[in-house]
Amino acid sequence: ELLRSEPQKWGIEPEPRLFVQLSQACLRERQGRASVEVYSMMLQRTNPTPAMTGSILAMCSKLNMLGTGAEILQLAAEAGANVDIRDAQELRQAAVRKKKADE
């Protein structure tokens, strides 16, 4: 909530890496919904680089939070954000390994 209200109150713009770090922290705490919300807030403020989205997707794969990764990938696609195809494939391969997707 602070990330939504305080920057406008103080006339500052948070750096995009803050959103990436917060999203990853949410993932480490197994808070997928919060991570998706943070990523969505980042999309409202900036167009993330492929590396930014990729690091979040890699964390989703590593922590086996594949549904969250899919949601983030969907948000990125809807917003027209650039995503490295290798990151999307890595997420898919993790799902295949866990038998949650067809080859």
Side-chain angles (χ1 to χ4, degrees):
E1 187 60 36
L2 289 173
L3 201 51
R4 290 176 208 221
S5 61
E6 292 302 309
Q8 293 85 5
K9 179 179 172 183
W10 296 100
I12 59 171
E13 187 64 33
E15 290 186 30
R17 69 186 168 101
L18 176 70
F19 293 99
V20 174
Q21 292 168 343
L22 182 56
S23 183
Q24 290 175 328
C26 291
L27 290 170
R28 281 191 289 278
E29 293 297 319
R30 312 297 291 174
Q31 299 294 319
R33 175 62 32 216
S35 180
V36 170
E37 287 177 22
V38 170
Y39 188 80
S40 180
M41 282 190 285
M42 179 171 63
L43 287 172
Q44 293 170 5
R45 297 176 185 274
T46 186
N47 190 12
T49 65
M52 295 167 122
T53 300
S55 67
I56 295 170
L57 292 177
M59 182 73 70
C60 290
S61 294
K62 178 181 175 185
L63 297 174
N64 197 30
M65 296 181 71
L66 307 176
T68 300
E71 284 185 63
I72 288 171
L73 195 56
Q74 174 86 26
L75 286 173
E78 289 172 357
N82 291 326
V83 177
D84 190 326
I85 188 70
R86 292 172 293 205
D87 295 322
Q89 290 171 339
E90 179 184 332
L91 188 66
R92 184 180 182 281
Q93 286 302 318
V96 168
R97 284 190 300 274
K98 297 296 179 187
K99 302 202 181 347
K100 291 188 177 184
D102 295 327
E103 288 188 56

